């Protein structure tokens, strides 16, 4: 009889462990961006090494952060650094899951860029809820739209001189809408590391995720995956 009391907790522990590893975590993410595709692949690999499945739910940019900060989802797939200063229920995983380049796109060939301040003389278009471009243009009065394709439209109609997109999204939009007259202005306005954020209810996962993402970074997994996705878009 005594042996039965020893066995029951043991099997309960095994059952709980299987249940934990079998569960799925749900993350909010930006809809309509290449960086979501890249970060989803990176984090699916990272979580799979922990025996956890993830599912990504794409939303408009501001709504995505509201849901993750409120705990409606398990966290935010990726955002720029310091987003947790405003959204204080989110906990940053400190190893970057991707890198993003902010690029100015224009039909004009007389514009030079050297940081956000170099855009001050121009009419600039940005996408609503995209924090890096909102912060970068805070001293301007940008033309704000909801979708990347709307940025292409307002530039073609000369409502703005410049639109700001990430490199991946710019390549994708130019190819999708066949507008070779729109070109990237080099160098990038700025480069940003992108980080995964967990809702505070899941913060116990942070140490394991930082260890695994660190290993993936050392392996070259994250760098090579980003290059592969961008090359694929560029060659479509």
């Amino acid at each position: 009889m005594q042996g039965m009391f020893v066995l029951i907790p043991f099997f309960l522990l095994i059952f709980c462990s299987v249940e934990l590893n079998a569960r799925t975590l749900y993350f909010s993410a930006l809809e309509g961006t290449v960086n979501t595709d890249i970060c989803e692949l990176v984090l699916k690999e990272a979580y799979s090494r922990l025996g956890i499945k993830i599912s990504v739910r794409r939303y408009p940019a501001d709504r995505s952060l509201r849901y993750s900060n409120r705990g409606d989802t398990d966290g935010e797939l990726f955002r720029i650094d310091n987003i947790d200063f405003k959204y204080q229920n989110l906990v940053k995983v400190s190893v970057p899951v991707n890198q993003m380049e902010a690029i100015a796109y224009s039909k004009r060939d007389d514009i030079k860029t050297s940081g956000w301040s170099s855009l001050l003389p121009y009419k600039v278009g940005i996408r609503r809820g995209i924090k890096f471009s909102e912060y970068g243009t805070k001293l301007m009065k940008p033309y704000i739209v909801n979708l990347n394709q709307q940025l292409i439209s307002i530039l073609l109609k000369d409502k703005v001189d410049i639109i700001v997109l990430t490199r991946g999204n710019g390549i994708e939009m130019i190819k999708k809408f066949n507008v070779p007259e729109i070109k990237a202005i080099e160098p990038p306005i700025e480069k940003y590391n992108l980080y995964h954020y967990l809702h505070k209810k899941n913060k116990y996962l942070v140490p394991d995720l930082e260890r695994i993402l660190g290993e993936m970074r050392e392996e070259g997994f994250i760098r090579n995956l980003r290059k592969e996705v961008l090359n694929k878009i560029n060659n479509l």
Side-chain angles (χ1 to χ4, degrees), residues 61-71 76 79-92 128-132 134-135 138 197-200:
D62 283 336
R63 191 187 309 169
S64 178
L65 277 169
R66 286 201 305 274
Y67 287 170
S68 57
N69 188 61
R70 203 162 59 195
E76 189 77 10
R79 288 285 174 155
I80 58 173
D81 199 7
N82 297 326
I83 205 75
D84 46 333
F85 286 1
K86 179 177 180 181
Y87 299 91
Q88 295 183 0
N89 290 328
L90 297 178
V91 181
K92 185 178 77 172
R128 178 172 283 105
I130 304 300
K131 298 306 177 186
F132 81 88
E134 288 184 349
Y135 297 159
K138 62 182 180 294
Y197 289 84
L198 288 163
H199 186 267
K200 63 183 180 182

Side-chain angles (χ1 to χ4, degrees), residues 150-162:
Q150 292 174 324
L151 287 177
I152 297 294
S153 177
I154 62 173
L155 181 57
L156 289 173
K157 293 175 181 177
D158 297 319
K159 292 183 178 180
V160 293
D161 303 305
I162 289 169

Side-chain angles (χ1 to χ4, degrees), residues 207-224:
D208 283 338
L209 279 172
E210 289 180 340
R211 173 179 55 81
I212 286 171
L213 286 168
E215 292 170 359
M216 291 169 62
R217 180 175 58 185
E218 291 302 311
E219 294 165 7
F221 182 97
I222 299 173
R223 180 183 63 254
N224 292 337

Side-chain angles (χ1 to χ4, degrees), residues 6-232:
V6 173
L7 287 173
I8 289 172
F10 174 74
F11 284 116
L12 281 173
L13 283 172
I14 292 176
F15 175 76
C16 290
S17 176
V18 170
E19 284 295 298
L20 178 64
N21 288 339
R23 70 189 177 124
T24 299
L25 296 179
Y26 296 89
F27 294 109
S28 304
L30 299 167
E31 62 183 4
T33 171
V34 172
N35 283 315
T36 293
D37 301 332
I38 295 171
C39 293
E40 180 177 8
L41 291 170
V42 169
L43 286 165
K44 277 187 172 179
E45 173 64 21
Y47 277 98
S48 73
R49 297 187 189 190
L50 286 174
I52 298 172
K53 294 181 180 179
I54 70 168
S55 179
V56 175
R57 297 173 172 176
R58 291 163 166 79
Y59 301 108
D62 283 336
R63 191 187 309 169
S64 178
L65 277 169
R66 286 201 305 274
Y67 287 170
S68 57
N69 188 61
R70 203 162 59 195
D72 296 343
T73 59
D74 288 296
E76 189 77 10
L77 190 72
F78 75 93
R79 288 285 174 155
I80 58 173
D81 199 7
N82 297 326
I83 205 75
D84 46 333
F85 286 1
K86 179 177 180 181
Y87 299 91
Q88 295 183 0
N89 290 328
L90 297 178
V91 181
K92 185 178 77 172
V93 179
S94 65
V95 180
V97 295
N98 192 10
Q99 187 184 72
M100 177 185 73
E101 294 175 300
I103 304 288
Y105 288 87
S106 182
K107 295 189 296 178
R108 294 172 51 172
D109 57 10
D110 62 333
I111 298 175
K112 307 296 181 184
T113 57
S114 57
W116 287 104
S117 62
S118 65
L119 306 189
L120 282 167
Y122 305 105
K123 293 181 290 182
V124 179
I126 64 171
R127 180 178 163 187
R128 178 172 283 105
I130 304 300
K131 298 306 177 186
F132 81 88
S133 55
E134 288 184 349
Y135 297 159
T137 57
K138 62 182 180 294
L139 298 179
M140 310 172 202
K141 294 182 178 178
Y143 193 124
I144 302 174
V145 297
N146 292 319
L147 302 169
N148 289 336
Q149 50 263 46
Q150 292 174 324
L151 287 177
I152 297 294
S153 177
I154 62 173
L155 181 57
L156 289 173
K157 293 175 181 177
D158 297 319
K159 292 183 178 180
V160 293
D161 303 305
I162 289 169
I163 57 174
V164 179
L165 287 162
T166 64
R167 187 179 296 279
N169 288 339
I171 293 170
E172 183 179 58
M173 289 294 104
I174 288 169
K175 286 186 171 290
K176 181 177 180 179
F177 295 103
N178 191 25
V179 283
E181 64 270 35
I182 296 176
K183 293 184 171 56
I185 303 172
E186 300 290 354
I189 304 166
E190 195 163 336
K191 295 181 181 181
Y192 300 88
N193 284 327
L194 300 177
Y195 297 90
H196 181 43
Y197 289 84
L198 288 163
H199 186 267
K200 63 183 180 182
K201 64 188 175 185
N202 297 311
K203 66 181 181 181
Y204 67 91
L205 289 168
V206 169
D208 283 338
L209 279 172
E210 289 180 340
R211 173 179 55 81
I212 286 171
L213 286 168
E215 292 170 359
M216 291 169 62
R217 180 175 58 185
E218 291 302 311
E219 294 165 7
F221 182 97
I222 299 173
R223 180 183 63 254
N224 292 337
L225 178 60
R226 179 175 185 274
K227 186 183 297 183
E228 180 183 334
V229 171
L230 292 179
N231 285 341
K232 185 176 180 180

